Amino acid sequence: MSQVLEIERCDLDIKSNKRSHHTEQNGEDRLIVRRGQPFSLVLHLKAGSPEFNPEETSFTLIVETGPLLCKESDTKVSFGLKDSTDDKEWSASASKAPGNTVALTISSSPEAPIGVYSLSLLQQGQSTSLGAFVLLFNAWCPRDAVYMRSETKRQEYVLSQHGLLYRGSATRIHHKPWNFSQFEPGILDICLKILDEGLNVVSDTDQDCSERRSPVYITRVLSAMINSNDNEGVLVGEWAEFEDGVHPSTWIGSGDILRQWADSGPVCYGQCWVFAAVDCTVSRALGIPCRVVTNFSSAHDGNGNLLIEKMYDEDGERLEDPDSVWNFHVWVESWMARPDLEQAGFDGWQVSDATPQEESEGVFCCGPVPVSAIREGELTKKFDAPFVFAEVNADVVEYVKLSTGDFVKFSGSTDSIGQNISTKAVGTDKRRDITHHYKYPEGSEEERRVFEKAQHCNKLQKKGKEPGLRIKIKLAKNMVVGSDFEVLAVLANNCMVAKSCSFMLYARAVRYNSTRGASCGFISDTVTVTPGEEKLLFLKLKYSDYGKVISPDRMIQVTAFVNDKENREYHKAEKLIVLDEPDLEVKLTGEARVGQPLTAELCLLNPLPEALQDCSFTLEGVGLTQEKPITIKLGTVASKQEAKASVQLSPREAGSTVLLVDFDSDKLKNIKNFIPMVVMSDALSPSLNTIAMT
């Protein structure tokens, strides 16, 4: 009969295991490991217990996860000792160690469900609890579905807590810093709680827990749970009224959002970049490599025909229709294999989108769908390929609705949708353009071939007729919020006869998702344009007009419309104005050293011709602001005067970090900047002295 070991305690060797499993940033309070990789424990035997002898001692280890324990679901696994661990399944090996201890090595299966596990040891029917651990996906393990070969990419897409989000327009791209904060205290537990609140937990708890082995399944759950449309998910989406919540542009990190959700339920409010950033945080926390991606001129194909059909009346006013084009839209890409597609070529980056736009299988979620499937027009691949394809590669067709009810097609575009698709580059703060991942070069034979393949029965009908009239809009170079500036529309007649037309130029506030706001400028004229002649139309946009109606996105849509009723000829040009924001200056003085005071000096010039009320600076940084943002309220700042503040920080962790700063007020909101730094331990030197970024 096997000897029975009398165990006094089990040392989980947390510090060493977390270092080898790349989880040391989670803190040292509990064991967190990645699947498919061995971890070590030490069993301390009681005085008088038999010594461990591989030939005379045997025992069984049991790991359990989830509320329903089932061998068939791999939520309860028993395994004995082997000479060495096996990297394909749960296994263990043991050896005698000094001081009447046993060195125990356990390797988890690279396909095990992620989550919180209990570990126990069974000897002759007697069970001894050895403790608990959290198991995550493992981008370092070649047998894990999320394996990523490049170490620099693993550092960026799994371990980095800081990033940049891109917004604006295709011609004026702005970056915004973001704290993902996936390793802050309590965040991992909140991420696991999100999985426990998923819709599938109620319908089939056992199946849900078992499916957590799959990053495809987890990614789809997160896409549904980051928004609150079908459940008590993390964020409430809102694009108009924000009085009873936080404006989406105010957020500068995921940590505060996730903690609020854990404490009191759905958080008000989010828009696409917030949904995506929080999704990225949770994915990285669970071990799935993830990055935030912005698509400029992003289509929302409401009727699923891969065409964006814009309807206008005879005066050039846009009519309501199910399609729209957002100035930008933000989602995430997650890295994983796709064995569920049963066809090679679709592993790698997968698009998923937590912004609630359309239902997928009865739930507001989207993806994951392979980026490679979008590029090749493989719209039968799961999940939601047609919708994502249209976002980046739909064609635009424009119609005028006549008083008779008939529609006249007058314009269109095959290359305006899906521009400058952007993500943060690996290891730097530069923008990387990944448009080529999603589609072939616009207008190329390959791109047209893919579009026609994807469109199925809705093939594009091209018309090569050159318009007799041409119209374009010219903008001023510097358009800073608070200033007045002119917009110019140029109408040219390239045909052989004179044209009499209604010539209109109007401006309207617009949000990034193309939702139109109030008008802020209009001018019209009836003109006769002779062959070869140009007519100009000037529109002055005054802050006194646009300042009252623009959203915090600071966007104005300018449209020029020409109506030649005699020849039933219509022409339109549009330009998006993204007003420049004032510089937020951030300067650090002192040494960036653990436990030493560090001063952040903040300054912003009010560019508006009126005073700003309720001014404040908010600062957040991992290891700098004690888990919660610091807000400094300033009150009123007069026109053309500077808002200034000085904040003392005390770094508590050595290593690279980023300080994010946000300025907010009643009329000028969400002005952001960031400054990277390296915090030294209290035993090391290089002085930081002064770092400045404007």
Side-chain angles (χ1 to χ4, degrees), residues 156 160-166 175-182 252 280 284 292 424-425 428-429 658 660 674:
E156 178 74 39
S160 177
Q161 296 196 81
H162 314 289
L164 298 176
L165 315 180
Y166 295 96
H175 65 259
K176 296 293 183 183
W178 191 269
N179 269 338
F180 294 115
S181 309
Q182 69 266 34
I252 57 177
C280 184
R284 290 184 183 182
V292 179
K424 178 185 176 297
T428 77
D429 289 331
V658 175
L660 309 183
F674 71 102

Side-chain angles (χ1 to χ4, degrees), residues 113-322:
I114 65 164
V116 179
Y117 280 78
S118 63
L119 173 65
S120 58
L121 182 148
L122 185 64
Q123 299 178 99
Q124 297 184 9
Q126 181 180 351
S127 178
T128 303
S129 174
L130 301 183
F133 61 94
V134 179
L135 188 67
L136 304 178
F137 291 107
N138 192 353
W140 287 261
C141 174
R143 294 185 180 276
D144 196 305
V146 302
Y147 174 64
M148 181 171 266
R149 186 170 300 173
S150 166
E151 175 60 23
T152 55
K153 290 182 179 179
R154 293 190 293 245
Q155 292 289 326
E156 178 74 39
Y157 298 134
V158 180
L159 300 183
S160 177
Q161 296 196 81
H162 314 289
L164 298 176
L165 315 180
Y166 295 96
R167 308 194 308 171
S169 70
T171 56
R172 296 178 69 84
I173 298 175
H174 301 298
H175 65 259
K176 296 293 183 183
W178 191 269
N179 269 338
F180 294 115
S181 309
Q182 69 266 34
F183 299 120
E184 285 191 356
I187 295 299
L188 177 56
D189 286 323
I190 297 172
C191 296
L192 294 171
K193 175 181 169 68
I194 290 173
L195 299 184
D196 291 338
E197 297 288 328
L199 294 175
N200 295 337
V201 174
V202 177
S203 60
D204 193 335
T205 302
D206 180 59
Q207 181 68 17
D208 171 76
C209 198
S210 178
E211 288 286 358
R212 296 185 190 184
R213 72 183 70 238
S214 166
V216 176
Y217 178 79
I218 293 291
T219 298
R220 191 152 174 82
V221 169
L222 295 183
S223 174
M225 279 299 300
I226 300 303
N227 71 74
S228 62
N229 282 45
D230 301 292
N231 45 50
E232 291 296 300
V234 177
L235 280 160
V236 178
E238 180 57 55
W239 282 263
E241 300 295 332
F242 310 101
E243 291 183 1
D244 56 347
V246 175
H247 192 284
S249 293
T250 303
W251 303 112
I252 57 177
S254 302
D256 206 23
I257 294 171
L258 290 169
R259 281 186 286 266
Q260 285 191 37
W261 174 78
D263 289 341
S264 55
V267 178
C268 299
Y269 290 104
Q271 290 180 10
C272 67
W273 67 92
V274 187
F275 287 112
V278 174
D279 197 350
C280 184
T281 291
V282 180
S283 298
R284 290 184 183 182
L286 299 177
I288 301 174
C290 190
R291 64 187 183 185
V292 179
V293 172
T294 301
N295 177 40
F296 292 94
S297 295
S298 185
H300 182 150
D301 181 15
N303 56 14
N305 64 357
L306 306 187
L307 296 175
I308 302 303
E309 295 158 311
K310 296 183 178 181
M311 311 293 184
Y312 299 86
D313 65 20
E314 293 181 86
D315 293 323
E317 283 290 335
R318 180 79 181 270
L319 303 176
E320 293 297 326
D321 53 60

Side-chain angles (χ1 to χ4, degrees), residues 15-33:
K15 188 173 183 179
S16 176
N17 282 320
K18 294 180 86 168
R19 184 167 54 250
S20 63
H21 283 253
H22 309 279
T23 60
E24 64 269 31
Q25 292 187 78
N26 285 104
E28 299 182 0
D29 58 329
R30 60 176 171 173
L31 179 59
I32 302 173
V33 294

